[in-house]
Amino acid sequence: MSVNSESKAYAAAGVDITAGYKAVELMKSHIARTETKGVCSDIGGFGGLFRPDLAGIKKPVLVSGTDGVGTKLKIAFLLDKHDTVGIDCVAMCVNDIICCGAAPMFFLDYIACGKNYPEKIADIVKGVAEGCVQSGAALIGGETAEMPGFYPENEYDLAGFSVGIADEEKLIDNKTMREGDVIIALPSSGVHSNGFSLVRKVFDIENANITKPLEELGGRSLGETLLTPTKIYVKPVLELIKSVAVKGISHITGGGFYENIPRSIPSSLGAKIEKSAVRVLPIFSLIEKAGNITERDMFNTYNMGVGMSIVVSEEEADKALGILKENGENAYIIGEIIKSEEKITLC
């Protein structure tokens, strides 16, 4: 990459390649925070190189995940705050990977924008780097595409891709799941990165005062609450599976309880969830009330305060809760596995 490269014609068309070079320079310190011993390339090449540590892994299996932040980005635009959405981007990928019991190795991001403001791009990557640090993944590459006429000047889209590794013999599946197994909830940090099209409609977000402190949200503003980054569960879950036979994990994203919890449950079995046990966060009560949304639609759209569910045997439930608590997770039991044609029952 030559910093002497410059095109006046391209600049006249709205693409400033020199801004791209400046953005890369500004983000280098953030990227450096994510470096792990597997990284064997610098930013700026055509591909990110990573040497996986296969010690102790008999049959390596690569597990990949890709996702974006969605229309939560609209909240970032309104608040002109861009250093947290990168955490969301990483979380949406690595939280999926960990459901298989795989440890994320590396991450790549893709930012498409109407105009490349180097400081803003660096802020976005700062968040991506923080997400990588939280999950133990190295940020080994990315792409920033300046697309005038396609995106408004002050808007962008953000997506990512991550690869993890696991031993085939230790992959988490649902083959050992049985009636009577316990479902453990890992609390969410908020709405995470799903259902924001409905959020924006309910609150008429573009016309609302989202910086005003609200009593219902403990004095926090709507904007601050909604922009709270998605929680990353990688490290606590990796610690858990070292000592407990985890039978299934679900990342509660779009589709809420009804779509995501059944994805880790085999046929002939179902999940019985005690609604009274779910520690619903205030933001969800506010969304439900403001939008006059039915309870079922809420549980079918949002995580409701549960970012991830984990199934273990009843005998290992207390041990699992203890390990999770030691690793910063205030986990609790929300239900059990039952024999049922209905994949999920909320009662």
Side-chain angles (χ1 to χ4, degrees):
M1 180 177 70
S2 172
V3 294
N4 294 319
S5 175
E6 184 178 359
S7 171
K8 293 180 179 179
Y10 211 2
V15 178
D16 184 357
I17 57 178
T18 61
Y21 302 147
K22 182 178 180 182
V24 170
E25 289 301 314
L26 290 172
M27 68 178 69
K28 280 184 176 179
S29 63
H30 305 307
I31 296 170
R33 294 181 59 222
T34 76
E35 188 169 331
T36 64
K37 64 180 181 179
V39 177
C40 44
S41 64
D42 293 326
I43 295 296
F46 288 101
L49 306 183
F50 191 91
R51 183 185 298 109
D53 181 2
L54 302 181
I57 301 179
K58 297 178 181 178
K59 294 183 178 180
V61 176
L62 298 181
V63 182
S64 59
T66 185
D67 210 335
V69 182
T71 63
K72 181 174 185 173
L73 292 175
K74 290 285 191 179
I75 313 299
F77 303 158
L78 289 170
L79 295 178
D80 194 24
K81 182 173 173 56
H82 311 282
D83 60 351
T84 62
V85 289
I87 301 174
D88 293 287
C89 189
V90 176
M92 297 305 292
C93 299
V94 298
N95 283 347
D96 280 354
I97 288 173
I98 197 63
C99 290
C100 298
M105 295 184 295
F106 58 82
F107 187 87
L108 293 91
D109 61 24
Y110 174 78
I111 304 168
C113 57
K115 184 174 177 59
N116 187 331
Y117 295 102
E119 290 79 11
K120 181 184 289 187
I121 298 300
D123 257 1
I124 298 168
V125 175
K126 178 182 178 182
V128 173
E130 175 59 28
C132 287
V133 169
Q134 290 183 23
S135 61
L139 179 55
I140 63 170
E143 173 69 12
T144 301
E146 191 172 15
M147 301 168 65
F150 195 89
Y151 292 96
E153 275 197 5
N154 291 310
E155 295 193 2
Y156 56 85
D157 198 7
L158 174 62
F161 172 82
S162 188
V163 174
I165 193 166
D167 195 324
E168 184 177 0
E169 296 176 356
K170 298 178 181 179
L171 285 170
I172 295 174
D173 55 35
N174 54 28
K175 294 178 182 178
T176 62
M177 200 175 292
R178 300 287 184 269
E179 181 183 13
D181 287 341
V182 170
I183 304 171
I184 294 174
L186 301 190
S188 71
S189 57
V191 183
H192 284 185
S193 299
N194 303 102
F196 272 83
S197 294
L198 180 55
V199 165
R200 289 166 49 236
K201 179 178 182 293
V202 165
F203 294 114
D204 188 19
I205 213 78
E206 279 77 12
N207 299 306
N209 180 359
I210 63 172
T211 61
K212 177 184 176 181
L214 297 177
E215 184 179 344
E216 302 97 311
L217 300 177
R220 301 177 78 200
S221 69
L222 181 60
E224 179 187 5
T225 302
L226 293 175
L227 204 57
T228 301
T230 304
K231 197 169 186 179
I232 292 176
Y233 300 99
V234 172
K235 292 181 179 179
V237 172
L238 286 177
E239 286 300 315
L240 177 66
I241 62 180
K242 288 178 182 178
S243 305
V244 172
V246 173
K247 300 187 177 190
I249 304 178
S250 291
H251 181 201
I252 315 301
T253 56
F257 280 47
Y258 283 95
E259 181 177 326
N260 292 290
I261 293 179
R263 292 169 67 179
S264 64
I265 300 175
S267 58
S268 79
L269 294 177
K272 179 183 176 182
I273 305 295
E274 299 290 341
K275 286 187 294 185
S276 60
V278 177
R279 299 170 187 173
V280 178
L281 295 175
I283 183 61
F284 297 111
S285 300
L286 188 61
I287 293 170
E288 183 176 8
K289 181 180 178 181
N292 193 27
I293 301 170
T294 65
E295 182 181 70
R296 192 190 191 286
D297 279 356
M298 289 296 296
F299 276 92
N300 206 167
T301 306
Y302 298 107
N303 67 63
M304 301 302 285
V306 179
M308 186 164 279
S309 66
I310 298 176
V311 177
V312 300
S313 68
E314 185 178 12
E315 294 74 21
E316 289 200 288
D318 287 342
K319 181 180 180 181
L321 291 171
I323 292 172
L324 290 166
K325 185 176 181 179
E326 289 171 4
N327 287 276
E329 288 296 328
N330 189 21
Y332 61 99
I333 294 171
I334 56 169
E336 63 178 330
I337 299 299
I338 60 174
K339 285 186 177 179
S340 175
E341 295 299 321
E342 293 287 334
K343 295 306 297 179
I344 185 163
T345 303
L346 271 72
C347 58

